[in-house]
Structures are given as structure tokens and as C-alpha cells.
């Protein structure tokens, strides 16, 4: 029985799970809907609810309901539910586990592998959090795929026209735009830009604020201070926003929203016109258009070279979005695949492709951010030295040699930055490594290599040539101990949605499935130095030594390390691999 691999769009407001059915991507209906609210809430019996049941529970218990957790991915935020603390990765893992279980029920087979999508503009830490969330949910991530890229894959499946596409993705919480070069054989992302803090939810909240202000003027009561009333109002504002995509005016009406000082029931009635909503959201949509211009500039592409504008994400149903894109690019934006599910469909296509299905073009993605190392420059100023620049195709590898200040410097600190400035203060520090007990040596050289995989996950290799000490680490959360005070996910009981029907084969499999991964193992940030298990590196070293142009000192060092490898010395193989890498 072949195990299916699923594609998951882990969204800010909704998540979807899809798989390839008879060569076509199919979105799985969970509890009656393809769109699963990305919500976790504490149920009346102390169990955690996920999805629609959690969203329904929000109005009873808004304080113990978590929404929009995706916006916190990659941050140090902690949320509490029922007095227990959870990281964003833990909350996301509950959503992923719910989707995995729904897929297993639908497919009647265990599922342990997935392709998960992330905003193209997600940084290193948010990507790593997504991977951790999947791992906690018992899912191996075969690849993280950028959302607009996944959408382009879904569009490319039925359309083999050549050209340059602009994929504009405005969802509930994030905005991304990508310029994609499409040919028969390859789909290459040329540039991505975006904002991980811009989405439809901001529009809902702004509209709710306006309605709350009007209510305060009328009744002197601040609805922001009442969590249940505020949750109802934001939800009503969202519904009004959605109606205004097809109607010129609407009314936000919420009855029994509060009580007056003398105990009378108070109702809210707030009329809104589409033109008013458009005036409210126009600055944000203008910002997305300026992102479009930046993506085009970075892709070295004139607006007139774009052959298709594809709309992704629920908010692109707002007429203003199409209108501004049309006037910017002189093209009619298109959305012939449902903008809510197109990303999950693309993820399912990528999942099937990774398992060997031949579905069309090969996809080449890019990194949206520059990655570099902080180094002291003249005048003792720390600057970021870029190793991998933004919009570099994935996977990518780059290296640089740095120097210790003096030969007996016993320790080095390596800071990894993400951002587009040489000034570290304008970048985000995504990792910090320490190498010590280096002793005194003749060499001050420190080799630093970045490996960025197809999921945009960075592995850093540092080798102090003097001592031979090496370190290989994946960028991960910096504070592993933080979890000691957090809720233990193993003890979390997630209520199953009543509408999900189990079939017996899945129950049987569930009874025998392996345990969840060990939490302590999850906390272990350090990935052991790469172990080279075959002798390819020895053969490569021999071929480097056979070169006549090799520097005498390099030859001497390489020969010495090769002899150490042959003698079975600890760590020598890694050092040899690094040396070969730098000398090749
Ligand atoms: P997504 O993140 O792609 O699932 O998009 C969800 C966002 O799209 C939410 O903010 C929804 O309120 C919004 N949305 C869905 N349908 C519409 C619509 N017809 N008009 C405006 N916004 C919409």
C-alpha cells in the first residue's frame, strides 16, 4: 500500500489539505468544508478544539481561542490557552495534526509526509518554526514551498503557454508577489517581494475599530474592552468586507452586543459603503502595488513584459485590488482557479512530483532575503557580509573566508543575519554560533559556508582552519530551554470534529502508530557535524592533490588531513570535506 503524500496550505485564516487524485489535485473536505479555520480553542470539557469547532467556540470563550497564529511564527511569542503556554509552532502543529488526521480518514491510509506552503517572504526562523510544527504533528516536510510558487504550479498544470507571470497573493494575514518565468520545461521564480504583516484581517480590525468608535460615541461604551463583544464585532466586520466585494453598501448589525449602565440591551448598527471601505484599505493596497514594482525591478522585468497576472488569496476578490493591478500593468488579472484553494492544490502537485509523478514543468524557486555573516571591518565596525543574495535560485551554496584578529584568539562568535542592509541594526539576526577552545595556531582563517536548501532552510558550516574545529548548524530557534515552561503537547487531547467519520482501517493503524517524537530531542538545536559516510570525499581530495596549480601550504594541509582521515581520526573527515570544498 503506497503512502500518499499530501499538500498543505497552512494559512493565517484558513488552512487546506489536498492530494493528487487520478492526476488532478483534489482538496479534501474537512467537517464539510475545504477551508479549515486556522483556529485553536479550549472546549467546554478542557479539550482543545481545532478548525470550525474552535471558530464556533470563539464567541463563547475568546480569551482561550487562538487565531492568526501564523503571524507569530518565527517570533518569541507565547500564547496561553486554559492557563497553559504554547509556542506558535505548537499551535500550528495542532492545526497540521488535525489536517493530517482528516487526510488519513479521507484516504483510509496513514499519512506521514507533506509539502507545506509558506509565504514567499517568510524568513529563516518562520520557516524553521513551520518545519518544527510539522514535526510535532508527526509529519515529515518533504519541502516548504512558497505560496505564490505553489499557486503558479497549479495554474501551470493546465496551461502550457510560455511567458512571464505575476502571481499576486493577498490572504488573511500576509501578502506576497512573485514574478515567474514559465516555459514548457521549467518554471523559474525570478523575484519575490511581500509583507508578512499585511492582509485581510487588518482590514477587518480597522473596520471594527470604526464601528466601535461610532458605538462609543453613541453609548459611551468601549467594545474593545469586552473580549466577547470585540470578537463578534471583528467577525461581523469581516462578513461586511466580504459582502462589499459584490455589493455597493451594507450594514454591520450586531444585536445584544452590550448593556447600558441601567441594564438595557444595546445593539450595533453601522452602515458602510464600498467606497468607504476602499478609502480605508487603499493605502495598504498601494503598498502591495509598490511591492509589485519592486519585484518587477528585481526580476529585471518591465511591466509590459508580464503576460498574465494571477490572483491568489481571498482578499483579491475585492474589486479595488483588480482595479489597481489593471491600471498598473495594463492587463486583466485572472483567477480561474479558486483563490482560496489554489495554493493547497499547488502543494499537492509538488508533493506528487517529489514522489516521482511527471506532471509538467520543473519548478525553480528563490530565496527572498539576503543572508550573511556579521564581521568586523576597518574601524572596528560590524558589517553584514552577504553570502547568499536575495532572489538567488534554490538550492544555493556560498562560502567566505573570515579572519580571526590574532593567532591565539581562543573563541569566535558567528552571527548570521537576514536582510538587505550592511548595517546589522537594519537586518534580522537569525542565528548566533560560538566556537571556542581554539588554542593558538598559525592560521587565522575561519571558513564559513552557507547551504540553503530547496525549502529555504539555511545550514551554516564554520571551520576554524587553525584548530580544525568545525560546526554545522541549521538555523533554529535560539532558546531551546524556553519550552520547559510550555505546555506538553504529548498530553494535549484534541477533540475530533463530529463530522469526521473514521474508518476501521485507520483506527487499526492509529492504534499501532509510532510515538510522537521525543520533546527533548525537539529541543536539541545542534545538528551534529555532517558525517560523510562514503569515500567520495577521499577521492575528491586525491584529485585536488593531483592538481599542479595547488598552493604549497594548501597541499601540505590537505595531505595532513587526508592522512588523519586514513588513520580514522575524530572529526578529520568533516575537515577534509570542508577543505576539499574550498579548494575545489
Ligand atoms: P486566505 O488567507 O487566502 O484564506 O484569505 C482569507 C481572507 O480573504 C480573509 O481575510 C477573508 O475575509 C478574505 N476574503 C474572502 N473572501 C473575500 C471576498 N469576497 N472579499 C474580500 N475579502 C475576502
Amino acid at each position: 500500500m503506497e503512502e500518499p503524500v499530501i499538500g498543505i496550505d497552512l494559512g493565517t485564516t484558513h488552512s487546506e489539505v489536498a492530494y493528487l487524485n487520478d492526476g488532478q489535485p483534489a482538496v479534501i473536505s474537512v467537517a464539510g468544508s475545504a477551508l479549515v479555520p486556522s483556529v485553536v480553542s479550549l472546549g467546554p470539557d478542557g479539550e482543545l478544539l481545532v478548525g470550525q469547532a474552535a471558530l464556533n467556540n470563539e464567541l463563547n470563550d475568546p480569551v482561550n481561542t487562538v487565531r492568526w497564529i501564523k503571524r507569530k511564527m518565527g517570533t518569541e511569542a507565547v500564547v496561553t490557552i486554559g492557563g497553559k503556554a504554547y509556542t506558535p509552532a505548537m499551535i500550528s502543529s495542532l492545526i497540521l495534526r488535525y489536517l493530517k488526521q482528516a487526510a488519513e480518514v479521507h484516504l483510509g491510509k496513514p499519512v506521514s509526509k507533506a509539502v507545506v506552503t509558506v509565504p514567499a517572504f517568510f524568513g529563516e526562523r518562520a520557516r524553521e518554526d513551520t518545519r518544527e510544527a510539522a514535526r510535532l504533528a508527526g509529519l515529515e516536510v518533504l519541502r516548504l514551498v512558497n505560496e505564490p510558487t505553489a499557486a503558479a504550479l497549479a495554474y501551470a498544470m493546465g496551461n502550457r503557454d510560455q511567458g512571464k507571470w505575476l502571481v499576486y497573493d493577498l490572504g488573511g494575514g500576509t501578502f506576497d508577489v512573485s514574478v515567474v518565468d514559465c516555459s514548457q520545461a521549467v518554471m523559474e521564480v525570478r523575484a519575490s517581494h511581500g509583507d508578512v504583516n499585511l492582509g485581510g484581517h487588518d482590514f477587518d480590525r480597522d473596520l471594527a475599530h470604526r464601528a466601535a468608535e461610532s458605538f462609543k460615541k453613541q453609548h459611551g461604551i468601549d467594545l474593545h474592552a469586552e473580549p466577547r463583544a470585540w470578537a463578534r464585532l471583528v467577525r461581523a466586520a469581516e462578513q461586511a468586507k466580504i459582502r462589499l466585494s459584490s455589493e455597493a453598501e451594507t450594514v454591520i448589525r450586531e444585536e445584544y452586543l452590550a448593556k447600558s449602565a441601567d441594564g438595557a440591551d444595546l445593539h450595533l448598527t453601522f452602515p458602510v459603503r464600498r467606497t468607504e471601505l476602499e478609502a480605508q484599505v487603499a493605502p495598504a493596497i498601494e503598498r502591495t502595488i509598490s511591492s509589485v514594482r519592486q519585484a518587477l525591478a528585481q526580476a529585471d522585468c518591465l511591466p509590459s513584459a508580464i503576460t498574465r497576472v494571477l490572483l491568489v488569496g481571498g482578499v483579491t476578490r475585492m474589486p479595488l485590488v483588480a482595479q489597481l493591478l489593471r491600471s498598473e500593468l495594463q492587463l486583466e488579472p485572472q483567477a480561474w482557479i479558486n483563490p482560496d484553494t489554489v495554493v493547497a492544490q499547488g502543494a499537492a502537485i509538488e508533493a506528487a512530483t517529489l514522489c516521482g509523478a511527471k506532471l509538467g514543468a520543473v519548478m525553480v524557486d528563490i530565496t527572498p532575503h539576503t543572508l550573511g555573516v556579521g564581521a568586523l571591518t576597518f574601524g572596528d565596525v560590524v558589517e553584514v557580509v552577504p553570502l547568499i543574495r536575495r532572489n538567488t535560485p534554490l538550492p544555493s551554496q556560498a562560502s567566505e573566508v573570515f579572519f580571526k584578529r590574532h593567532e591565539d584568539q581562543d573563541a569566535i562568535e558567528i552571527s548570521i543575519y537576514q536582510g538587505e542592509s550592511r548595517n546589522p541594526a537594519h537586518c534580522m539576526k537569525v542565528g548566533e554560533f560560538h566556537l571556542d577552545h581554539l588554542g593558538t595556531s598559525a592560521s587565522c582563517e575561519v571558513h564559513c559556508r552557507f547551504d540553503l536548501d530547496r525549502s529555504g532552510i539555511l545550514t551554516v558550516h564554520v571551520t576554524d582552519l587553525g584548530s580544525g574545529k568545525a560546526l554545522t548548524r541549521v538555523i533554529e530557534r535560539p532558546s531551546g530551554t524556553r519550552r520547559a515552561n510550555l505546555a506538553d503537547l504529548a498530553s494535549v487531547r484534541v477533540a475530533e470534529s463530529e463530522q469526521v467519520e473514521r474508518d476501521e482501517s485507520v483506527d487499526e493503524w492509529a492504534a499501532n502508530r509510532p510515538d510522537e517524537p521525543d520533546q527533548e530531542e525537539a529541543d536539541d538545536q545542534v545538528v551534529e557535524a555532517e558525517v560523510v559516510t562514503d569515500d567520495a570525499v577521499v577521492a575528491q581530495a586525491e584529485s585536488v592533490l593531483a592538481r599542479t596549480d595547488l598552493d604549497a601550504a594548501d597541499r601540505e594541509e590537505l595531505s595532513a588531513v587526508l592522512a588523519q582521515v586514513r588513520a580514522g581520526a575524530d572529526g578529520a573527515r568533516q575537515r577534509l570535506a570542508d577543505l576539499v570544498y574550498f579548494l575545489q
Side-chain angles (χ1 to χ4, degrees), residues 12-14 16 169-173 200-201 204 238 241-242 245 313-315 317-318 339-340:
T12 314
T13 38
H14 294 110
E16 296 85 35
D169 180 355
L170 185 55
H201 177 49
D204 307 338
E238 179 179 12
K241 172 193 74 179
I242 290 174
S245 289
V315 184
R317 294 196 180 94
M318 290 182 91
D340 294 320

Side-chain angles (χ1 to χ4, degrees), residues 225-239:
E226 215 320 299
R228 219 172 276 189
W230 178 245
R232 280 179 62 192
L233 187 53
V234 173
R235 210 183 279 196
E238 179 179 12
Q239 291 312 314

Side-chain angles (χ1 to χ4, degrees), residues 38-42 48-51 54 64-66 81 91 94-95:
S38 303
V39 185
V40 175
S41 180
L42 187 69
L48 285 182
L49 306 169
V50 182
N64 287 307
T65 301
V66 177
I81 306 179
I91 296 293
L94 296 170
I95 299 165

Side-chain angles (χ1 to χ4, degrees), residues 500-513:
V500 175
E501 287 170 15
R502 299 196 73 86
D503 81 16
E504 282 174 14
S505 63
V506 173
D507 282 340
E508 189 187 348
W509 163 80
N512 298 321
R513 74 174 158 176

